[in-house]
Amino acid sequence: MHSFGHRANAVATFALTILAAMCFAASFSDSFNSPTPAASAQILNINWFQKEANANDEVSMTLNISADLSSLFTWNTKQVFVFVAAEYETPQNALNQVSLWDGIIPAKEHAKFLIHTTNKYRFIDQGSNLKGRDFNLTMHWHIMPKTGKMFADKIVMTGYQLPEQYR
Amino acid sequence: GDILFLRMSKEPIRTGEIVVFNVDGREIPIVHRVIKVHERQESAEVDILTKGDNNFEDDRLLYAHGELWLQQHHIMGRAVGYLPYVGWVTIVMTEKPIIKYLLIGALGLLVIMSKD
């Protein structure tokens, strides 16, 4: 056990083992974080609400989305992916989740925000079930670590409703 | 060059999850996020739309011709965690096979030469 090869092998194996242990410890430290996120969303305006040529309903809306997700960030956080989805049920579908807006928060400093936006992705139903439809706006976040396990959670905001008539 | 940890459970696919899927006819699987889910009332059938976080468009152009949605059977797993940079070893070995041979040769020599 004195040759260069043996020593190099021993050192390399030891180094990789320590590296793996550190990655595991870094990820494990994330489980001690007890985050207190806050979020809210308001629909400022329904811009239009139509039945398409292919018989699917589509709605365009302008939203205010605000949140404080700074408590989600730890030293092991690379970025947080956040999105707001409209969630509703129809006679045909037990669950519909349509992402309306998403963003990437690269650092804790950017985690408290207020966004004024129209829906980034088209809110299209499968069919024509949206008139007067009640729906939730749920803010989901996915924490992408520098290394290790990804965490995800959400805040459900209820009480939204689409118009009874097309406009 | 990162290594992704994947898991496939019976839990239904929901928006936000990062999934690995194969499009019919393409050999390389794609790892993207689910942005739309429509799940039927009676059956567990589900229509899924995915998009890469940094892409401007959703993945519809990548799906097989005429397909607007992915189904459960396209999804091979979900990403649950990852280790950065460790995958570079694999990439280097694939792109310059000589390194692979050198590495295996050196390890083989070590094994032969050790007296234990």
Side-chain angles (χ1 to χ4, degrees):
Chain A
M1 279 296 291
H2 300 304
S3 75
F4 172 74
H6 283 110
R7 287 181 174 155
N9 183 33
V11 169
T13 310
F14 188 57
L16 276 179
T17 310
I18 297 288
L19 183 62
M22 278 168 54
C23 284
F24 180 75
S27 183
F28 184 63
S29 75
D30 277 347
S31 45
F32 293 108
N33 189 34
S34 20
T36 49
S40 78
Q42 293 122 305
I43 300 182
L44 296 175
N45 188 42
I46 301 285
N47 304 323
W48 49 265
F49 182 21
Q50 295 291 325
K51 186 181 186 138
E52 317 266 282
N54 58 14
N56 293 333
D57 280 347
E58 181 173 354
V59 58
S60 163
M61 55 179 71
T62 304
L63 304 154
N64 260 358
I65 300 169
S66 65
D68 183 357
L69 301 180
S70 42
S71 62
L72 298 176
F73 280 80
T74 70
W75 63 285
N76 186 34
T77 304
K78 181 165 148 190
Q79 62 193 22
V80 172
F81 183 84
V82 59
F83 68 99
V84 172
E87 303 184 352
Y88 61 99
E89 183 178 352
T90 62
Q92 176 198 338
N93 289 340
L95 174 67
N96 300 280
Q97 291 179 308
V98 179
S99 176
L100 298 181
W101 170 86
D102 56 29
I104 293 177
I105 306 176
K108 194 169 182 158
E109 297 73 58
H110 301 107
K112 189 166 179 194
F113 60 89
L114 168 65
I115 305 269
H116 177 89
T117 180
T118 55
N119 47 303
K120 190 170 169 184
Y121 303 112
R122 298 173 67 184
F123 187 165
I124 305 177
D125 187 32
Q126 287 189 327
S128 182
N129 305 295
L130 292 185
K131 279 195 282 192
R133 178 65 55 194
D134 293 311
F135 65 102
N136 293 342
L137 285 177
T138 306
M139 178 176 285
H140 299 251
W141 55 85
H142 287 250
I143 302 170
M144 277 130 89
K146 295 195 171 102
T147 172
K149 186 170 185 295
M150 299 199 291
F151 293 93
D153 206 347
K154 61 187 179 185
I155 289 180
V156 182
M157 298 168 275
T158 59
Y160 303 91
Q161 189 183 31
L162 288 171
E164 301 281 350
Q165 297 299 326
Y166 294 129
R167 51 168 99 155
Chain B
D2 307 330
I3 288 196
L4 214 50
F5 292 106
L6 303 178
R7 176 171 277 175
M8 193 59 205
S9 70
K10 294 218 175 42
E11 301 288 321
I13 307 275
R14 294 288 175 252
T15 48
E17 294 176 353
I18 299 178
V19 297
V20 183
F21 62 93
N22 258 319
V23 177
D24 308 319
R26 288 180 194 258
E27 18 171 276
I28 304 182
I30 302 175
V31 188
H32 275 172
R33 195 181 298 272
V34 176
I35 62 165
K36 290 188 186 175
V37 168
H38 294 280
E39 186 178 280
R40 298 281 172 274
Q41 286 279 9
E42 300 300 315
S43 63
E45 280 172 50
V46 60
D47 286 332
I48 291 163
L49 180 63
T50 58
K51 175 180 168 290
D53 288 348
N54 265 334
N55 292 351
F56 187 70
E57 297 271 359
D58 58 44
D59 290 341
R60 264 204 183 118
L61 290 175
L62 294 174
Y63 298 165
H65 187 63
E67 270 186 22
L68 295 175
W69 306 95
L70 291 178
Q71 266 74 51
Q72 183 78 38
H73 68 84
H74 289 111
I75 309 295
M76 300 194 310
R78 292 180 178 87
V80 294
Y82 85 141
L83 276 180
Y85 303 121
V86 180
W88 271 111
V89 179
T90 318
I91 291 180
V92 165
M93 290 209 295
T94 314
E95 305 210 337
K96 295 215 166 5
I98 182 90
I99 302 222
K100 188 165 52 179
Y101 301 132
L102 278 175
L103 210 54
I104 296 185
L107 283 171
L109 270 172
L110 265 178
V111 168
I112 293 170
M113 292 194 308
S114 78
K115 295 208 309 190
D116 309 290

